[in-house]
Amino acid sequence: MSQIAAVPAVPSRPTGTPPGPAPGGKAVTLQFNDNTLLPLLLGDHDRHLVRIEQALGVRLSCRGNRVAIAGEPTRVDTAQATLEGLWRRLERGESVGRPEVEAAIRLADTEIDPRLPLSDLPAIRTRRGAVGPRSSGQAAYIDALAAAEMVFAVGPAGTGKTYLAVAQAVAMLLEGKVDRIVLSRPAVEAGERLGFLPGDMKEKVDPYLRPLYDALHDMMPGEQVIRRMGTGEIEVAPLAFMRGRTLAHAYVILDEAQNTTAVQMKMFLTRMGEGTRMVITGDLSQVDLPSGVTSGLRDALETLEGVAGIRVVRFGTRDVVRHPLVARIVDAYDQRAAAVGETRRERAAAAR
């Protein structure tokens, strides 16, 4: 990519010319010198440019190998960083599609998190390639996974809490930094009393552990997952099976931790042995425990946050990397919950 040239602000522009900024606005032109990669940057029918325009409130136009950006100065800077980040992916031989465009927009938006330039983003490296962050929350999470022995990841569905933890576990296993991976979930829907379900024990608990299997199969070939499970290098088990064990030289992940009780959480955390790392993930807005039972995840956060060696990463709706509608759904539920809480407080005040 050539040097970026600033375009002087002009009050208006003739039809068919690159967009100029409104008064007080800003315009820049980016020149891309590889015409084989440029169509991949733009997307079919310029759909990637259209999405960046919609998300950032800027005007984009492409003529030849140049893309012009105009709009409010900070928005123009964000759009520029977004396009440059996507271009670097293409230069590295990586794909650019709708998910990558959405991720680049989130990561380039300095109003969300100004701490990381795109060139310095952390990544988890597996044999299937590098797994990089798609939001500022994920960048902080990957940093924490690399640095801390115990990490709590808390936030809504779709933020990559489990997926990135499994990626880090697989990377450390393949590098020989741990001897095995242990993945666990509380089978809360059946109260961890699974005897009434058909099949052997594996068939009884597998439906609850399916998301963990899916993440594993994304990180390594299926036959390797099966072989390593057969040798005990990878173990997937319900939380109840952790009792009485000491887990040494292992990477241990507890998923859906909001559905543990305080007693179960303490039991799990104290399984940690020499050379072990633990990751605990959960969403406190999706607790399925019986009414009146305190979530073990909430209790652990209140007790342990700030303890040396423990990192807590909190995700928000801006970190949701599934379909953009998922973030809006999460926001809508959060707003309704806040409104209900406010109504209750007002009623309680009135009753006094």
Side-chain angles (χ1 to χ4, degrees):
M1 191 192 308
S2 70
Q3 292 294 318
I4 298 166
V7 177
V10 295
S12 62
R13 63 187 177 100
T15 302
T17 64
K26 178 180 180 180
V28 297
T29 298
L30 307 180
Q31 182 172 313
F32 302 94
N33 292 327
D34 189 336
N35 289 330
T36 62
L37 295 181
L38 186 57
L40 303 177
L41 178 69
L42 304 179
D44 294 339
H45 308 292
D46 292 347
R47 67 178 58 186
H48 296 163
L49 293 189
V50 171
R51 177 57 191 144
I52 293 169
E53 281 188 325
Q54 292 172 342
L56 300 178
V58 296
R59 289 180 295 159
L60 301 176
S61 71
C62 180
R63 299 186 68 183
N65 64 347
R66 296 185 178 188
V67 175
I69 314 168
E72 193 273 325
T74 59
R75 300 287 85 196
V76 168
D77 291 343
T78 301
Q80 177 180 329
T82 298
L83 288 168
E84 289 174 345
L86 293 171
W87 187 254
R88 280 194 292 270
R89 284 186 61 90
L90 292 170
E91 288 182 321
R92 293 194 299 266
E94 300 173 12
S95 63
V96 167
R98 176 66 180 262
E100 288 73 32
V101 172
E102 297 289 346
I105 291 168
R106 283 190 295 268
L107 289 166
D109 195 336
T110 55
E111 291 182 2
I112 299 175
D113 187 351
R115 71 183 186 88
L116 284 173
L118 284 174
S119 59
D120 295 334
L121 288 174
I124 299 169
R125 306 198 177 278
T126 71
R127 288 181 185 172
R128 285 205 168 183
V131 179
R134 292 188 172 184
S135 73
S136 57
Q138 287 193 356
Y141 187 33
I142 291 175
D143 278 343
L145 292 173
E149 293 179 302
M150 182 177 290
V151 177
F152 287 83
V154 187
T159 50
K161 302 183 299 294
T162 303
Y163 191 86
L164 291 175
V166 172
Q168 180 72 9
V170 169
M172 293 190 70
L173 178 68
L174 297 179
E175 291 171 6
K177 294 180 179 179
V178 295
D179 295 335
R180 57 183 170 145
I181 298 171
V182 180
L183 309 174
S184 186
R185 265 188 167 198
V188 69
E189 293 86 349
E192 298 203 26
R193 293 186 292 273
L194 305 172
F196 66 89
L197 294 175
D200 59 20
M201 182 54 66
K202 184 177 185 300
E203 291 169 330
K204 293 175 193 291
V205 301
D206 269 2
Y208 303 103
L209 305 173
R210 188 74 255 168
L212 299 175
Y213 287 118
D214 291 343
L216 275 174
H217 282 277
D218 271 0
M219 301 301 159
M220 59 174 63
E223 66 275 7
Q224 192 175 143
V225 173
I226 294 170
R227 177 174 59 80
R228 290 179 184 271
M229 290 182 73
T231 62
E233 289 178 274
I234 298 176
E235 178 183 351
V236 185
L239 178 60
F241 286 32
M242 298 296 107
R243 193 174 300 277
R245 303 175 62 183
T246 299
L247 302 172
H249 305 290
Y251 203 103
V252 188
I253 300 171
L254 175 61
D255 193 32
E256 297 289 329
Q258 76 275 5
N259 289 324
T260 63
T261 65
V263 171
Q264 288 172 326
M265 178 61 78
K266 182 179 178 182
M267 177 274 292
F268 173 80
L269 297 177
T270 54
R271 301 307 93 196
M272 190 175 193
E274 182 182 355
T276 287
R277 292 200 174 203
M278 282 188 166
V279 181
I280 301 93
T281 72
D283 178 1
L284 289 171
S285 71
Q286 295 190 18
V287 177
D288 297 319
L289 295 169
S291 178
V293 177
T294 301
S295 166
L297 177 58
R298 187 183 303 278
D299 182 73
L301 292 171
E302 292 172 353
T303 305
L304 300 176
E305 189 162 8
V307 171
I310 296 176
R311 294 271 292 273
V312 177
V313 178
R314 287 183 166 83
F315 293 92
T317 55
R318 298 297 295 269
D319 295 305
V320 173
V321 295
R322 291 180 184 166
H323 192 286
L325 185 56
V326 174
R328 297 197 292 273
I329 290 170
V330 172
D331 264 336
Y333 274 98
D334 287 347
Q335 290 169 13
R336 189 182 72 168
V340 169
E342 182 62 26
T343 300
R344 287 175 178 168
R345 285 191 293 272
E346 288 174 356
R347 288 176 180 172
R352 290 196 297 268

